[in-house]
């Protein structure tokens, strides 16, 4: 049963990851704001803009969604989350019902990768923060396959994982326990789904960011260079001038 409070500033501090508090259930509550800002900044640096469509895998209590939903145009945010109570708490305590009515996000309350086909849209970006770190390889492959079919030709998924010297042998969803993978194993899984795999130079408190990109997604501008907002903005302005 979820722990609830009438205090709008109940931030769940002191709870452990996985505890039934809307902030703690999705990870260390002390990092709730940090993870949101880090992920939003990564997506916009890579090229996310307000008119794009985005898929938030395991959107939970809208830790990242509370920034993405106001930013994106109406109907452009899609979240997948099997725990409906988390989304309800996120709307109640972080986003507000009025903003939901304005922006009209779509939620799929399921753990099935195949559910995203119901969106009937080509996603420009997808994000899976701290999802693959709790997935067996079978589930990772299922998500990569489904996402690959739903990405735009120049779309990309950004996801975190835990690097290890050996690959996890577990299957299915493993939460709150964590699993490790060698980058080579995820690169192989990406190739099976016709996606390009790259490690991203973007800091995370505990995990590693990776890019799973469609063939036409342009990552040449940060190849062997720092991935920074300044570089991303310079590229965006250059593209705008070229298209003017």
């Amino acid at each position: 049963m979820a722990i609830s409070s009438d205090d709008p500033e109940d931030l769940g501090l002191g709870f452990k990851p996985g505890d039934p508090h809307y902030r703690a259930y999705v990870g260390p509550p002390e990092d709730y704001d940090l993870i949101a800002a880090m992920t939003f900044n990564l997506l916009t640096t890579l090229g996310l803009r307000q008119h794009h469509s985005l898929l938030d895998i395991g959107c939970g209590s809208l830790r990242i969604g509370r920034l993405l939903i106001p930013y994106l145009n109406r109907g452009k945010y899609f979240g997948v989350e099997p725990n409906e109570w988390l989304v309800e708490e996120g709307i109640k305590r972080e986003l507000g019902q009025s903003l939901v009515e304005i922006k009209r996000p779509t939620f799929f309350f399921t753990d099935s990768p195949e559910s995203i086909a119901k969106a009937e849209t080509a996603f420009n970006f997808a994000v899976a923060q701290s999802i693959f770190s709790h997935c067996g390889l079978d589930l990772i492959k299922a998500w990569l396959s489904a996402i690959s079919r739903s990405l735009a030709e120049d779309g990309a998924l950004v996801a975190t994982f835990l690097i290890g010297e050996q690959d996890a042998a577990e299957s299915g969803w493993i939460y709150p326990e964590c699993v490790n993978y060698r980058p080579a194993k995820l690169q192989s899984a990406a190739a099976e789904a016709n996606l390009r795999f790259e490690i991203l130079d973007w800091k995370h408190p505990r995990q590693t960011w990776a890019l799973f990109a469609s063939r036409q997604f342009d990552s040449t501008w940060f190849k062997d260079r720092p991935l920074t907002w300044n570089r991303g903005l310079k590229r965006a302005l250059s593209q705008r001038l070229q298209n003017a």
Side-chain angles (χ1 to χ4, degrees):
M1 180 179 294
I3 297 172
S4 186
S5 169
D6 292 330
D7 180 4
E9 291 299 315
D10 177 13
L11 305 181
L13 301 179
F15 285 96
K16 301 187 299 296
D19 280 349
H21 181 282
Y22 82 97
R23 281 189 167 215
Y25 191 85
V26 299
E30 293 80 7
D31 287 349
Y32 197 85
D33 60 335
L34 174 65
I35 297 298
M38 169 191 66
T39 307
F40 183 83
N41 289 338
L42 171 59
L43 287 164
T44 53
T45 297
L46 287 172
L48 176 70
R49 295 297 178 265
Q50 64 181 10
H51 61 279
H52 286 153
S53 294
L54 178 136
L55 175 68
D56 188 355
I57 302 163
C59 63
S61 55
L62 308 182
R63 174 172 51 185
I64 303 166
R66 65 192 177 131
L67 302 184
L68 289 169
I69 292 171
Y71 173 77
L72 294 170
N73 290 348
R74 178 182 295 181
K76 295 296 186 178
Y77 175 93
F78 297 81
V80 178
E81 174 55 52
N83 298 292
E84 189 170 353
W85 71 270
L86 281 173
V87 174
E88 291 174 349
E89 286 287 287
I91 292 172
K92 176 182 177 181
R93 300 182 180 279
E94 299 290 339
L95 194 65
Q97 188 61 42
S98 61
L99 193 54
V100 171
E101 294 171 0
I102 293 171
K103 290 294 187 172
R104 298 180 186 174
T106 298
F107 297 104
F108 301 112
F109 297 115
T110 176
D111 59 1
S112 170
E114 300 304 321
S115 65
I116 62 178
K118 298 177 183 178
E120 297 183 344
T121 190
F123 298 110
N124 302 101
F125 286 92
V127 59
Q129 198 287 134
S130 195
I131 301 299
F132 291 177
S133 51
H134 304 287
C135 285
L137 189 61
D138 60 333
L139 192 49
I140 291 176
K141 287 184 176 182
W143 274 112
L144 291 178
S145 177
I147 291 167
S148 178
R149 295 192 298 271
S150 295
L151 280 178
E153 292 182 352
D154 59 351
L157 160 72
V158 290
T160 64
F161 73 104
L162 289 166
I163 293 180
E165 296 181 357
Q166 295 182 334
D167 302 315
E170 291 88 345
S171 61
W173 179 241
I174 310 144
Y175 187 78
E177 301 303 319
C178 296
V179 290
N180 301 331
Y181 292 99
R182 294 173 300 126
K185 177 60 71 174
L186 292 189
Q187 184 175 27
S188 176
E192 290 181 20
N194 296 315
L195 295 172
R196 189 176 74 249
F197 173 86
E198 300 176 30
I199 296 292
L200 293 175
D201 180 21
W202 198 262
K203 296 299 182 184
H204 189 287
R206 290 165 294 278
Q207 302 189 31
T208 297
W209 281 104
L211 178 76
F212 299 82
S214 296
R215 298 304 175 186
Q216 295 184 31
F217 182 85
D218 180 18
S219 60
T220 58
W221 60 275
F222 59 84
K223 184 175 178 60
D224 301 323
R225 301 174 183 177
L227 176 59
T228 67
W229 168 254
N230 286 354
R231 190 178 297 279
L233 179 59
K234 181 179 179 180
R235 171 178 176 268
L237 293 176
S238 176
Q239 289 180 326
R240 184 178 298 177
L241 289 174
Q242 292 175 7
N243 297 329

